[in-house]
Amino acid sequence: MGNINRSVDFSTDSEIAVVTVDNPPVNALKHEVRAGLAEALRQARDDAAVKAVVIACAGRTFFAGADITEFGKPPQAPGLHDVIAAIEATPKPVVAALHGTALGGGFELALACHFRVAVSGARVGLPEVKLGLLPGAGGTQRLPRLIGPEKALQLIVTGEPMAAPKALADGVIDEIVEGDLTAAAIAFARRVVAEGRPLKLVRDREDKLSAEGFADAAEALTRRLRGRDAPAACVEAVRNAIVLPFEEGLKREGELFRKLVTGDQSKAQRHVFFAEREAAKVPDMPDAAKPRPITHGAVVGAGTMGGGIGMCFANAGIPVTIVETGRDLLQKGLDRVAANYRTTVSRGGLGADEMERRMALITGVTELEAVGSADVVIEAVFEEMNVKKRVFANLDRLAKPNALLATNTSMLDVNEIARATARPEDVLGTHFFSPANVMRLLEIVRGAQTSFDAIATAVGLGRRLGKVPVTVGVCYGFVGNRMLARRSIETERLLLEGALPQEVDAAVVAFGFPMGPCAMMDLAGLDVGWRIRKGRGERALIEDALCEAGHFGQKTGKGYFRYEAGSRTPVPDPEVEGIIIEASARLGINRRPIGEEEIVERMIFPMINEGARILEEGIAARPGDIDVIWVYGYGWPVWRGGPMYYADRLRLAHLRDRLTHYADRSEDGTLQPAALIRRLAAEGRGFTS
Ligand code: CAA
């Protein structure tokens, strides 16, 4: 590629200059691209024969943004601002030709062009907020001028992309084109020249800059983004677009961007961005391993999980058969799926016709034989080993050769389940999180005999289903629930020693989780664990007492908290306080006030300790995998980067000392720092170094 440099090509089609950029995979605006663009724009400006310029990208997308790997390094001229200034200074029409995802700095570059044309499948957006940033290349000043501050803020604070038809309706783009994009953009440029259309830059438009409704929109959009710096900075920058002259607003945007990009939150969010992509790569996967094609799925079990998994397939456009043992159970499951879709439709998240299309992809049957046509079968039946083994023995008999056989168990031994078949190489775990159609995390559990092809198939399927797949090894609870179990143990201890559920939850929420452990257990239901413990002869003093008093969680209107009818808001419950105080007394514990800092440490540090053991055992391949699991499966605040990243920021020597302190005080040897923490701390290193 490129007569300007390796990434940028400059050619002319009669009087139209065509600048084509090719920087795979996503045309990030790295230094070489910016330099090439600046040079191409100079040539176009100086060539009197050139009457208009088209900027297009080769490969799968228009620029997907600034090159994130350059953040935190010394800036190299020309910067994106210089390229954008060169576009605006071009006295000839500049047309951006959009396809794929024009995101971040890529979309901002397009906003500086005089015109934008796009293919119908293109999407534009400013996802910087997801990296803890704001659009730093004029997006917060130009987009409000183009579509009004309220709509612009919506795009900037959610970071969600906008599809081309909507972009056309809102005036973000000028035309949707058919056929070859570059040819169509050249034709468009020619028309602009022939018609002598005025070259009005977005920066010079003022007519949409109204403050009406802005304050309310800002409040509504940021209400649930507590703790994050970026959304507030986005609001400030867009407000500046209304009240300050363009250049002044641009200057303030730059200052806000620089503050965010050097701040801890954005660093943490960039870590999660790359860790998520890394997690999709299984380190020991041979190149020869190939995902198997999947055109049809089956789910065994029409319960909440099975139905949710079925929805994931339908949402991805893959036909799926849901198998349940009896007609009534099946109908109940399908009704639940339909009700879920209807809720989304009523909230405007889905068209009624699209709901019909998705429901039509789901077939419910009561004969297990139906799995014979599926390329992947996901078992989501009752969480009991013998039941699972029976299902897998039948799947072995009925599923076609090479079908992926997956269990959605959240803790049972995948190897034992695999042994119920004569093809353990095709068996693995696909651990979805509830609600399965919403939660992004997918733990892929590889058994001792699972083949690489099967793992590659599951990872590929996970991505197609819109999930974030992370491959882990077999152990009790896998990665996420095994770590969570440490938090549950510590929650009970804190309650026995003197804290109340509302205090524990408040500390965890203040740390950044969407809900605390007690509210989370109320949501999941306390009776499930109670039954499992009874079966194993185990006790959890407080939770058992709560269950014995009929406190099963939200479903009974009372658990660790009380819930008014129809409400999900946890209300502190004096009866629960009584049960807890009595439990402390029974153990002869003198209750004491416990501060927020201690609660947070005891909620977080034992989990990180377990994460270290998980790494030692090779159950997770990388610390970043654990971070991704906690961010996408358990609501770990993304701006804190995940538990292992967070531990590195605190320094492992500090973690080691605090764990030792708590282990000594509680005389619980399992709280002693893991060998990996001791070793890394002694070497002054972190998990990620
Ligand atoms: N910079 C550097 N690398 C990037 C990148 C970027 N902006 N966007 C993607 N990549 C890399 C990924 O890390 C990945 O690398 P590996 O193959 O080595 O893992 C590769 O490109 C492919 O990415 P995906 O696996 O994510 O591919 P996809 O097809 O699933 O998704 C995408 C493509 C929608 C563009 C997605 O990559 C994405 O959302 N990228 C980030 C977009 C973004 O946030 N842009 C704003 C950047 S900040 C900015 O522009 C600041 C500013 O205002 C100036």
Side-chain angles (χ1 to χ4, degrees):
M1 179 78 186
N3 65 2
I4 289 192
N5 60 31
R6 272 175 312 176
S7 301
V8 182
D9 184 74
F10 181 91
S11 64
T12 48
D13 185 312
S14 5
E15 294 178 319
I16 312 295
V18 181
V19 183
T20 312
V21 175
D22 188 12
N23 174 30
V26 298
N27 286 312
L29 284 150
K30 66 176 178 183
H31 174 249
E32 185 181 73
V33 171
R34 299 193 304 271
L37 281 169
E39 172 57 20
L41 287 162
R42 192 193 59 74
Q43 289 185 19
R45 187 196 59 205
D46 293 348
D47 186 344
V50 167
K51 297 283 183 265
V53 187
V54 167
I55 299 179
C57 288
R60 68 194 213 215
T61 181
F62 193 73
F63 308 110
D67 187 334
I68 304 168
T69 60
E70 287 183 355
F71 292 170
K73 297 181 187 158
Q76 269 184 294
L80 192 48
H81 278 291
D82 302 318
V83 176
I84 284 175
I87 292 174
E88 289 190 328
T90 306
K92 313 169 185 188
V94 183
V95 180
L98 314 180
H99 76 294
T101 42
L103 298 178
F107 180 37
E108 293 174 286
L109 181 147
L111 288 174
C113 296
H114 301 103
F115 302 98
R116 287 157 292 282
V117 300
V119 296
S120 62
R123 287 183 298 160
V124 300
L126 295 170
E128 286 88 341
V129 73
K130 296 186 180 178
L131 297 168
L133 298 170
L134 53 60
T140 66
Q141 304 305 299
R142 289 191 182 84
L143 195 58
R145 285 177 163 77
L146 198 57
I147 61 173
E150 204 181 319
K151 278 187 188 165
L153 190 68
Q154 164 89 22
L155 228 71
I156 292 170
V157 170
T158 63
E160 291 305 320
M162 180 189 248
K166 173 99 172 70
L168 180 69
D170 281 353
V172 174
I173 58 175
D174 300 281
E175 199 168 291
I176 290 183
V177 300
E178 311 248 321
D180 181 79
L181 172 61
T182 306
I186 293 170
F188 180 91
R190 228 169 241 136
R191 248 181 9 251
V192 166
V193 173
E195 291 166 9
R197 281 212 223 167
L199 300 185
K200 183 134 184 165
L201 290 170
V202 175
R203 63 187 285 151
D204 298 326
R205 300 188 191 180
E206 299 280 326
D207 52 308
K208 294 250 169 73
L209 284 182
S210 151
E212 211 188 308
F214 181 77
D216 289 345
E219 158 63 19
L221 284 166
T222 53
R223 198 176 295 143
R224 293 173 58 190
L225 300 173
R226 183 180 51 82
R228 302 192 188 197
D229 295 337
C234 291
V235 171
E236 187 182 335
V238 176
R239 190 182 295 116
N240 287 341
I242 309 172
V243 298
L244 297 179
F246 181 82
E247 280 302 336
E248 192 58 29
L250 203 60
K251 197 168 136 242
R252 287 288 300 135
E253 178 197 86
E255 287 162 10
L256 288 166
F257 182 86
R258 278 188 293 282
K259 198 162 154 213
L260 290 174
V261 81
T262 51
D264 290 342
Q265 295 197 356
S266 177
K267 277 185 203 147
Q269 289 181 245
R270 270 137 53 200
H271 158 73
V272 173
F273 177 86
F274 287 113
E276 178 189 334
R277 277 142 189 90
E278 186 84 9
K281 296 165 196 145
V282 182
D284 55 343
M285 176 85 67
D287 289 342
K290 289 281 169 289
R292 304 168 191 165
I294 289 189
T295 56
H296 195 128
V299 179
V300 182
T304 314
M305 270 327 257
I309 297 169
M311 288 174 79
C312 296
F313 278 89
N315 294 347
I318 307 172
V320 61
T321 304
I322 301 184
V323 191
E324 186 47 270
T325 43
R327 273 273 137 220
D328 287 353
L329 281 178
L330 176 65
Q331 198 50 52
K332 229 172 118 185
L334 294 176
D335 289 348
R336 196 182 303 116
V337 168
N340 277 340
Y341 275 134
R342 267 197 301 277
T343 307
T344 316
V345 171
S346 69
R347 290 186 186 149
L350 196 70
D353 49 340
E354 182 56 23
M355 166 175 165
E356 289 307 315
R357 204 183 62 77
R358 293 187 192 184
M359 280 304 289
L361 288 170
I362 302 176
T363 312
V365 300
T366 50
E367 303 79 30
L368 193 60
E369 283 70 16
V371 302
S373 57
D375 308 298
V376 51
V377 187
I378 300 181
E379 164 277 311
V381 303
F382 194 62
E383 191 76 342
E384 149 98 48
M385 183 53 92
N386 285 333
V387 182
K388 304 254 187 211
K389 278 161 96 167
R390 241 187 342 264
V391 170
F392 272 79
N394 283 326
L395 292 182
D396 192 25
R397 197 165 47 80
L398 298 169
K400 64 182 176 189
N402 263 329
L404 189 69
L405 306 182
T407 168
N408 181 48
T409 181
S410 56
M411 57 188 173
L412 297 175
D413 183 347
V414 172
N415 290 323
E416 194 176 338
I417 295 173
R419 279 196 294 273
T421 73
R423 38 172 142 170
E425 66 280 6
D426 291 333
V427 178
L428 45 67
T430 45
H431 181 204
F432 288 79
F433 287 70
S434 189
N437 53 311
V438 177
M439 296 297 288
R440 304 271 325 273
L441 177 63
L442 179 64
E443 273 184 331
I444 294 176
V445 189
R446 59 194 284 187
Q449 288 174 270
T450 311
S451 73
F452 282 112
D453 283 4
I455 298 170
T457 309
V459 172
L461 174 67
R463 294 201 73 169
R464 258 177 92 188
L465 299 186
K467 301 293 171 197
V468 178
V470 184
T471 306
V472 303
V474 176
C475 65
Y476 189 76
F478 315 128
V479 172
N481 284 345
R482 175 169 160 184
M483 288 167 69
L484 185 69
R486 306 302 315 194
R487 193 173 84 172
S488 304
I489 294 170
E490 216 55 38
T491 302
E492 167 132 327
R493 276 197 187 131
L494 283 165
L495 297 178
L496 286 171
E497 288 172 31
L500 292 172
Q502 53 271 29
E503 291 164 349
V504 175
D505 277 26
V508 170
V509 169
F511 182 79
F513 279 90
M515 62 169 75
C518 297
M520 191 174 136
M521 285 187 273
D522 279 355
L523 182 64
L526 306 185
D527 52 323
V528 186
W530 181 44
R531 279 198 202 97
I532 294 175
R533 280 193 300 279
K534 274 206 277 195
R536 296 163 141 226
E538 292 170 3
R539 296 275 297 152
L541 210 52
I542 292 174
E543 221 167 279
D544 289 353
L546 286 172
C547 286
E548 279 149 21
H551 287 239
F552 287 178
Q554 278 194 26
K555 57 180 141 184
T556 53
K558 51 186 186 173
Y560 280 95
F561 298 103
R562 254 186 323 109
Y563 300 86
E564 301 299 336
S567 163
R568 289 177 173 274
T569 309
V571 180
D573 184 349
E575 190 190 332
V576 173
E577 201 171 319
I579 291 175
I580 293 172
I581 290 171
E582 199 188 305
S584 304
R586 239 184 300 154
L587 292 180
I589 297 172
N590 274 331
R591 292 176 65 81
R592 65 181 170 93
I594 304 181
E596 183 174 315
E597 191 183 339
E598 178 176 342
I599 295 177
V600 168
E601 286 191 349
R602 291 175 62 184
M603 290 287 88
I604 307 285
F605 292 178
M607 290 202 315
I608 298 170
N609 202 22
E610 198 62 33
R613 294 196 188 102
I614 284 169
L615 286 175
E616 282 169 357
E617 294 166 25
I619 297 290
R622 295 157 289 228
D625 290 5
I626 299 179
D627 291 334
V628 170
I629 285 173
W630 271 82
V631 166
Y632 286 105
Y634 298 85
W636 179 282
V638 64
W639 46 272
R640 289 192 194 267
M644 310 315 270
Y645 179 88
Y646 178 70
D648 282 355
R649 305 281 311 170
L650 288 180
R651 307 227 167 271
L652 294 190
H654 174 68
L655 186 75
R656 176 199 58 201
D657 296 346
R658 297 306 291 159
L659 280 166
T660 308
H661 164 75
Y662 289 121
D664 292 346
R665 206 176 66 181
S666 65
E667 296 178 19
D668 175 359
T670 66
L671 283 176
Q672 289 293 350
L676 180 66
I677 293 179
R678 288 182 193 281
R679 179 166 61 75
L680 291 173
E683 292 167 3
R685 293 166 59 203
F687 290 120
T688 42
S689 62

